[in-house]
């Protein structure tokens, strides 16, 4: 063990203290990840449905929203949500709330596009078969169309989730504490590369878990087509 | 008694006047075939009768229930509840099957029975298994559609429609998507249904089959009914030169 601490040129107390902060930061990053994932997926379904609306203004507004969210940096959006209300109206935002809000509206725009493509890939004949068998439109959508959409959108959704794991680091621009923030600060204070390497390993582990989960899901849905 | 009565059906897609006043009446237990060149409006007619398209003008009633009534040259449809009731008396078999790929064969046959008709799961499964036996597909109940041949898929699709106990069954080219060696098994099933006096309207390019199975044959050309007559009159009689031309073209 001493050999290890010699190698990294760090006192055990320092190392353990860093690891403790890293753990804290990991949990905070996971918090951003989970809130964003849980909220942006259903919102993404809504975005997809609104985008396909027959009411022209509704689909136009949705499209404009998606353009802004996908066409500007997430970092800028975080800054805007956090400080915009203060600069414009003197309203101070809760940091964590602003962080989640920015992530959710950004990711919902991307998911909206993925889900829209998924819904459009289901042949019209499936809706017609549902209708002729007497299913209502809602039943047809939820029992016949949506399960097939889930299978088709799982791979691109998984990719977005992988990006989200790493994007949690962007919360740094509004000083929302999380893993990257800890890594940066402790690397500076100890003048060591160790915190950066540890943070990298943790991000990698989280990504691996997300990837494995989606692979598992894809395999489970492999029973047809 | 007429199970289906359609009068002066008109349908346009934009400037394309596809159905130009089509009449069709089908008695209970009758088999009616619809033949005609590609683009003549056969599918469109079937889709109007099964509520997948709305007719622009004309009257349609099915099983004595009015689906749409012509008022001053405009089709006025009945209320939602009535249309739904009519829908439940009607079955449709698609050219490309349209089975639900995420469900097993059994679930394809039972889900609508349970969810739409409110039958118990046991009852629905008993009906489904009985139908699968008739389709010679008993051993396939746990298979998924993608694991079946085209002929098997189409037989499942026919069973799925029959499971809802329709009073009238429509087919839109049920064998056109099949490899030649698989056509026979599907036609055999339809023949069997005809023997059991199932009321059917069949769009088909299988002329020998149409001739043999039909009580009446409709020849549709460019949205007009050129003839609606017994198969003997349509196929043997040379009184319809256009039909003869079409048939001889097919035989080449
Ligand atoms: N949804 C639609 N929108 C616009 N035009 C359509 C639509 N459906 C059919 N048509 C047109 O209506 C005409 C009749 O088509 P329909 O599919 O009814 O012919 P069909 O007799 O079934 O031909 P086939 O033997 O090739 O199946 C065609 O000119 C077709 O292009
Ligand atoms: Mg057709």
């Amino acid at each position: 063990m001493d050999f290890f601490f010699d190698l990294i040129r760090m006192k055990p107390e320092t190392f353990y203290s860093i690891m403790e902060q890293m753990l804290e930061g990991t949990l905070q990053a996971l918090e951003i990840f989970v809130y964003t994932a849980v909220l942006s997926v259903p919102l993404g379904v809504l975005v997809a449905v609104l985008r396909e609306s027959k009411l022209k203004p509704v689909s136009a507004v949705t499209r404009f929203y998606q353009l802004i969210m996908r066409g500007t940096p997430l970092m800028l959006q975080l800054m805007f949500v956090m400080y915009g209300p203060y600069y414009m109206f003197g309203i101070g935002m809760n940091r964590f709330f602003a962080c989640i809000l920015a992530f959710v509206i950004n990711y919902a725009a991307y998911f909206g596009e993925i889900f829209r493509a998924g819904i459009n890939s289901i042949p019209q004949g499936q809706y017609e078969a549902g209708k002729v068998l007497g299913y209502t439109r809602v039943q047809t959508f939820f029992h016949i169309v949506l399960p097939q959409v889930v299978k088709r959108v799982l791979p691109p959704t998984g990719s977005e989730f992988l990006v989200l794991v790493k994007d949690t680091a962007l919360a740094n621009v509004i000083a929302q504490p999380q893993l990257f923030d800890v890594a940066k600060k402790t690397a500076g204070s100890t003048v060591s590369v160790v915190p950066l390497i540890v943070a990298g390993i943790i991000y990698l582990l989280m990504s691996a878990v997300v990837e494995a989960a989606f692979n598992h899901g894809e395999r489970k849905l492999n029973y047809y087509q | 008694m007429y199970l289906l009565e359609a009068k002066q059906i008109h349908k346009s897609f934009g400037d394309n006047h596809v159905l130009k006043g089509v009449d069709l009446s089908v008695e209970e237990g009758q088999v009616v075939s619809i033949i005609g060149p590609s683009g003549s409006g056969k599918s469109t007619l079937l889709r109007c009768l099964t509520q997948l398209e709305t007719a622009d003008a004309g009257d349609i009633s099915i099983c004595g229930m009015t689906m749409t009534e012509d008022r001053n040259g405009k089709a006025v449809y009945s209320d939602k509840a009535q249309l739904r009731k009519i829908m439940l008396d009607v079955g449709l078999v698609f050219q490309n099957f349209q089975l639900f790929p995420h469900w097993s064969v059994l679930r394809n046959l039972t889900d609508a029975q349970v969810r739409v008709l409110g039958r118990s799961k046991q009852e629905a499964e008993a009906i489904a298994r009985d139908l699968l036996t008739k389709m010679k597909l008993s051993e396939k109940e746990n298979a998924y559609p993608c694991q079946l041949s085209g002929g098997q898929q189409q037989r499942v699709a026919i069973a799925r429609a029959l499971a809802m106990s329709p009073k009238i069954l429509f087919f839109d080219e049920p064998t056109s998507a099949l490899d030649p060696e698989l056509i026979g098994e599907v036609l055999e099933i339809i023949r069997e249904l005809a023997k059991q006096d199932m009321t059917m309207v069949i769009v088909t390019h299988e002329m020998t089959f149409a001739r043999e199975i039909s009580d009446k044959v409709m020849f549709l050309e460019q949205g007009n009914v050129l003839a609606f007559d017994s198969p003997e009159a349509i196929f043997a009689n040379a009184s319809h030169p256009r039909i003869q031309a079409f048939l001889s073209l097919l035989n080449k």
Side-chain angles (χ1 to χ4, degrees), chain B residues 13-104:
Chain B
F13 294 106
D15 293 337
N16 188 1
H17 199 172
V18 176
L19 298 177
K20 300 166 184 163
V22 174
D23 292 332
L24 171 63
S25 37
V26 182
E27 286 173 40
E28 195 166 354
Q30 265 191 340
V31 177
V32 170
S33 294
I34 302 176
I35 61 172
S38 184
S40 57
K42 305 182 297 294
S43 296
T44 305
L45 175 60
L46 226 55
R47 291 171 61 82
C48 286
L49 299 174
T50 52
Q51 301 184 41
L52 293 180
E53 299 282 359
T54 47
D56 299 333
D59 302 87
I60 303 172
S61 65
I62 289 180
C63 300
M65 292 178 280
T66 301
M67 186 167 121
T68 173
E69 228 171 354
D70 196 279
R71 284 196 209 129
N72 305 321
K74 272 200 79 120
V76 179
Y77 275 77
S78 300
D79 59 82
K80 256 186 154 179
Q82 168 104 333
L83 291 180
R84 195 176 153 71
K85 251 177 90 184
I86 296 174
M87 186 71 92
L88 293 179
D89 278 341
V90 165
L92 173 64
V93 174
F94 296 83
Q95 182 173 343
N96 48 3
F97 332 129
Q98 297 298 348
L99 292 173
F100 304 129
H102 56 306
W103 288 343
S104 69

